[in-house]
Amino acid sequence: MKTWRVSSTNPSTESLREAAAALKAGNLVAFPTETVYGLGANALNEAAVRRIFAAKGRPADNPLIVHIADPSELAQVVADLNAVPPAVHLAIATFWPGPLTLILPAHPNLAPAVHPGMATVGVRMPSHPVAQQLIRLAGCPVAAPSANKSGKPSPTTASDVLEDMAEELAEGDGVVDGGACEVGVESTVIAVEGNRVVIYRPGGISKEQLQDALGLPVVLDPHLEQSLTSRSVEASFAPRSPGMKYRHYAPNAKVHVWWGNRDKVRQRMEEFAHAHGQEEMALITESPISNCPPNAHCWSALGEPSPSGDSQAKDYPVKDYQAKAQPVSTYPRILSRELYGLLRKFDRLRVTHILVEGVEPTGLGLAVMNRLSKASEGRMEKV
Ligand code: TXA
Ligand code: MG
């Protein structure tokens, strides 16, 4: 297993040639995207794609997203491109490259394991320069789920990938280290059904952004509505995106989320920390807590090196996910970028509970709260 370290903004062909050749030849290569790290395999190679499932411990019925480097490559992965509705083309023109996955009819050349038992395939063109260059050099569509063990938080750095995958990756496989991911939660998964857009998984492109751009009603898959509003999701109620039915994004620690009135959120956290005085915990909040409880590690978004600028923005600006020029300054965006890394960090510290100040479930906040609802198994309360 190899690690290739590359520039995140301007990766040279030379630095990626070997990784791309490994990918093309049927090995597993993990790589950064603007959302999270993916565990990639040649999407036309059945044996390679099956190895993804083995490495992740992924349920066999959960389909993979196929990544391409240019919209012109769609014809290789989608059947009957001419029949695709205009709203899909508009979504591609508006949001690609970027964190939007489209569910489309699958091309027969794709390895069957990419979309087990389904006639459709999820496709996206990532905006991360390393992902684009790697796929281009490999010269094949790349199937890539998030590069974590099934059920664990997705990796947002190469060392997160190695934490989960070092033992699974063999000779010939490798990890491309292109630094930390900017968006931090996965892509939005959508399908255009009749004259509406259905969100199967909220992510880096918000419902509001889709509504503005596509001029069609945008609805959430009913399973998602339910998982955000009730404690337990009925097992019999099948979500449209198979991946959403599994326990997910979950650290070993128990996650608890409060959101709404800031003072009340703080009060609940302090009460909880006090009532569980014998246990070690972590607190994740927007601004620093003045009296961090003695049994807690306190992390705050605004307590870290001070961000500045656009205090209103909640969404990622379209096609600007690298966003270096746009300081990431709002709590939903910082939480989105940092959440998975924090869950992993506090697991390494072996805390028993992770208490999180949540956000309004609008804009990017919907994706963050969806992941938190999974990570907390429904331990969420609006106060
Ligand atoms: O941001 C992302 O999407 C990342 C990066 C690596 O691109 N990938 C990712 O893949 O999150 P994964 O496998 O962890 O999640 C894919 C989701 C799952 O919930 C899966 O069920 C759904 O997309 N999905 C894939 N193909 C589908 C299909 N044909 N129909 C419905 N849902 C599908
Ligand atoms: Mg995943």
Side-chain angles (χ1 to χ4, degrees):
M1 198 254 312
K2 263 191 136 161
T3 303
W4 299 276
R5 187 157 299 158
V6 301
S7 154
S8 64
T9 48
N10 192 16
S12 68
T13 304
E14 206 42 57
S15 64
L16 283 172
R17 208 188 296 282
E18 203 181 15
L23 196 49
K24 171 99 184 184
N27 297 287
L28 299 185
V29 175
F31 61 95
T33 79
E34 69 280 19
T35 57
V36 300
Y37 271 71
L39 182 62
N42 181 340
L44 308 176
N45 181 327
E46 176 74 0
V49 173
R50 281 174 184 257
R51 280 198 58 215
I52 290 180
F53 286 82
K56 281 181 61 83
R58 184 176 178 100
D61 68 347
N62 192 3
L64 307 177
I65 293 173
V66 173
H67 298 69
I68 56 177
D70 190 275
S72 63
E73 292 160 19
L74 263 180
Q76 296 170 41
V77 296
V78 174
D80 207 3
L81 201 50
N82 293 329
V84 162
V88 168
H89 293 290
L90 184 54
I92 289 171
T94 313
F95 297 109
W96 280 10
L100 181 71
T101 295
L102 292 153
I103 304 300
L104 295 166
H107 195 287
N109 285 358
L110 287 172
V114 167
H115 55 116
M118 313 177 85
T120 55
V121 61
V123 188
R124 92 176 184 97
M125 175 186 171
S127 65
H128 198 296
V130 172
Q132 284 188 6
Q133 179 80 319
L134 179 72
I135 300 164
R136 197 168 292 124
L137 287 171
C140 59
V142 175
S146 49
N148 51 289
K149 284 279 184 188
S150 227
K152 290 283 142 201
S154 299
T156 52
T157 64
S159 67
D160 291 350
V161 175
L162 289 170
E163 188 173 76
D164 282 16
M165 289 297 156
E167 291 186 2
E168 308 298 336
L169 297 180
E171 202 180 328
D173 300 333
V175 180
V176 178
D177 181 351
C181 303
E182 280 291 323
V183 179
V185 294
E186 297 82 351
S187 62
T188 304
V189 179
I190 65 165
V192 176
E193 295 178 358
N195 61 355
R196 56 183 210 161
V197 176
V198 181
I199 296 181
Y200 290 1
R201 178 179 73 180
I205 296 291
S206 69
K207 184 180 176 199
E208 293 81 354
Q209 283 174 310
L210 290 165
Q211 242 148 7
D212 286 350
L214 303 182
L216 291 178
V218 180
V219 300
L220 294 184
D221 181 63
H223 179 269
L224 286 175
E225 291 275 13
Q226 193 185 5
S227 67
L228 273 173
T229 50
S230 72
R231 253 173 176 264
S232 65
V233 179
E234 264 178 68
S236 63
F237 192 84
R240 304 295 291 279
S241 167
M244 299 307 284
K245 70 176 178 257
Y246 297 108
R247 184 180 143 88
H248 246 329
Y249 318 115
N252 298 321
K254 282 202 161 111
V255 176
H256 310 258
V257 183
W258 292 275
W259 58 287
N261 178 289
R262 173 177 299 174
D263 293 336
K264 286 188 183 156
V265 169
R266 303 275 163 120
Q267 202 184 331
R268 294 298 168 91
M269 287 184 167
E270 280 160 25
E271 282 165 10
F272 187 98
H274 187 71
H276 297 76
Q278 302 307 312
E279 293 171 301
E280 210 176 323
M281 58 195 66
L283 271 55
I284 296 174
T285 55
E286 177 170 3
S287 52
I289 287 192
S290 43
N291 298 314
C292 184
N295 53 333
H297 304 266
C298 292
W299 182 95
S300 78
L302 305 181
E304 306 303 302
S306 101
S308 59
D310 66 334
S311 63
Q312 294 307 308
K314 275 190 179 164
D315 294 333
Y316 282 86
V318 168
K319 296 197 177 183
D320 190 22
Y321 312 102
Q322 290 313 104
K324 300 287 185 212
Q326 277 262 356
V328 174
S329 59
T330 68
Y331 184 49
R333 284 177 63 175
I334 298 171
L335 190 58
S336 163
R337 192 187 59 195
E338 304 294 336
L339 179 65
Y340 290 147
L342 287 169
L343 297 180
R344 283 178 178 268
K345 167 181 151 167
F346 290 129
D347 259 358
R348 285 194 297 273
L349 292 173
R350 297 184 186 281
V351 306
T352 310
H353 303 278
I354 301 175
L355 317 187
V356 185
E357 176 174 5
V359 296
E360 283 290 327
T362 57
L364 184 65
L366 179 66
V368 175
M369 289 299 269
N370 167 261
R371 306 311 190 266
L372 279 171
S373 111
K374 296 259 174 183
S376 67
E377 299 177 285
R379 285 181 294 269
M380 297 176 81
E381 192 190 352
K382 185 170 186 189
V383 293

